[in-house]
Amino acid sequence: MPLWRALVWLRVVTLLFALGGVLVHREQYEREWLGWVVFGVMAAWTAVTVYCYSRDSGRRTSVVVADVLITAGLLLACWFVHDRAYMLSSAPTVVTVWAPGCVVAAAVLHGRGPGMAAGALVAGVSWLIRGRFDTDIARDTVLLLGVGFVIGLASSVARRSAEQLHRALQAEAATRERERLARSIHDGVLQVLARVRRRGRELGGEATELAELAGEQEIALRALVSSAPPESTVDGEVDLRPQLQLLATPRFQVSAPATQVLLPAHTAAELCALTREALSNVDEHAGAQARAWVLVEDLGEEVVVSIRDDGPGIPDGRITAAEAEGRMGIAQSIRGRVQDLHGTLALHTGAGEGTEWEVRIPRQTSKGGRR
């Protein structure tokens, strides 16, 4: 990241500035030898941070915390380098402008909050060793807090932009690969399935069933290769519609709004999983001729997914009996997922009336309490 490279140069330049300050003011130091010791530690730590911050493996919280603490310790050491009169003056200490480097490091690594916290700590130590709070100290405090805020904000925006670019490149690569596979599948598998479907219908008899199966697989495969890869927003939201539309078959229809239905990726995946489980129950319990309809509604504050079939329905007490027998498909795969998403689940069924599941997921909750 360019901010890390800028920090490395900042550390080197401010160290050279500190060296100039020592050479100019060393005769005013109460303990000149200690001033050189403090500068030597600064130079050694600058070399360590330049090495660490130049590599991805070295940009760790532990290094930044050590940076802040060592900077604070060197500032406190200035208390013993300079006498009281020097500290009350506006002359620079040994550490001088080298100290804000740790504030920049904290802001680049973790953003505004840690950056401002590091700035507040450095400003507080500076106030402590100076023994006063005047216009100069107030100015330095504002600058340190401002550096932590601005650099932290820039770092957060840069990270989000990099993540968005990475996702865009992944989506582009996935689209190219999908197009390549689509051409290969169209030239091979889909043509074979289409031929099996036509030939089976011509032969009739038992071949008709094979023709129907081939037709179903052809439709499902065409939907798979023609659907776009899931896109996500900066906040990690995805469109629910393409994932549910992959569940469509000649027996199962999926209806969704024309506009995107954005949800957190985890929420969308869980909704697709419970819909798949509901359709699997239709296959298993409603009969081979039963049809099902999936309806997606985006109501703004919540997203509603309804799964309805025209099967025989669920007799009273059947779900409770299934749970008692250890068959936990509905309890875990459907109810459990809705509960984890803090949604509500309604079941409308009865003998000969078909079955309808209505799942309502509040958007506010699914976004972690934010709109």
Side-chain angles (χ1 to χ4, degrees), residues 266-267 270-271 274 301-303 334-345 359-369:
H266 171 73
T267 302
E270 290 293 278
L271 281 174
L274 71 85
E301 294 293 331
E302 62 181 2
V303 173
I334 298 180
R335 286 179 177 166
R337 284 190 167 95
V338 174
Q339 184 176 1
D340 290 342
L341 296 174
H342 305 286
T344 59
L345 176 67
V359 181
R360 292 179 175 268
I361 303 299
R363 253 213 180 84
Q364 196 168 11
T365 302
S366 67
K367 291 184 180 181

Side-chain angles (χ1 to χ4, degrees), residues 99-278:
C102 69
V103 178
V104 176
V108 172
L109 184 63
H110 288 301
R112 295 174 295 182
M116 295 180 68
L121 176 62
V122 172
V125 175
S126 297
W127 169 80
L128 179 64
I129 63 174
R130 290 287 186 177
R132 70 182 196 280
F133 189 83
D134 55 15
T135 303
D136 291 337
I137 300 298
R139 179 195 61 215
D140 292 344
T141 299
V142 171
L143 288 175
L144 287 168
L145 292 176
V147 166
F149 179 85
V150 173
I151 299 297
L153 180 61
S155 176
S156 299
V157 171
R159 271 195 297 270
R160 293 178 62 185
S161 299
E163 291 171 359
Q164 187 177 16
L165 177 61
H166 178 67
R167 285 195 295 268
L169 292 174
Q170 283 185 321
E172 183 181 359
T175 299
R176 289 198 301 267
E177 180 64 14
R178 185 180 293 270
E179 290 174 351
R180 186 188 67 81
L181 290 174
R183 290 192 297 268
S184 176
I185 291 173
H186 181 271
D187 294 339
V189 180
L190 287 176
Q191 290 183 1
V192 171
L193 288 174
R195 182 176 176 82
V196 171
R197 174 171 53 82
R198 290 194 301 270
R199 187 58 178 161
R201 289 175 177 173
E202 291 173 359
L203 293 175
E206 295 182 357
T208 302
E209 182 179 356
L210 295 177
E212 292 178 357
L213 292 175
E216 291 179 2
Q217 294 305 311
E218 181 187 0
I219 293 173
L221 195 54
R222 287 186 186 277
L224 178 62
V225 299
S226 63
S227 62
E231 299 180 356
S232 60
T233 65
V234 174
D235 296 326
E237 294 183 329
V238 299
D239 187 1
L240 176 65
R241 301 174 305 161
Q243 300 185 42
L244 287 179
Q245 286 167 349
L246 289 177
L247 303 178
T249 69
R251 292 174 53 209
F252 303 151
Q253 297 182 14
V254 178
S255 299
T259 55
Q260 290 183 324
V261 181
L262 294 176
L263 287 172
H266 171 73
T267 302
E270 290 293 278
L271 281 174
C272 287
L274 71 85
T275 302
R276 189 180 298 108
E277 177 66 22

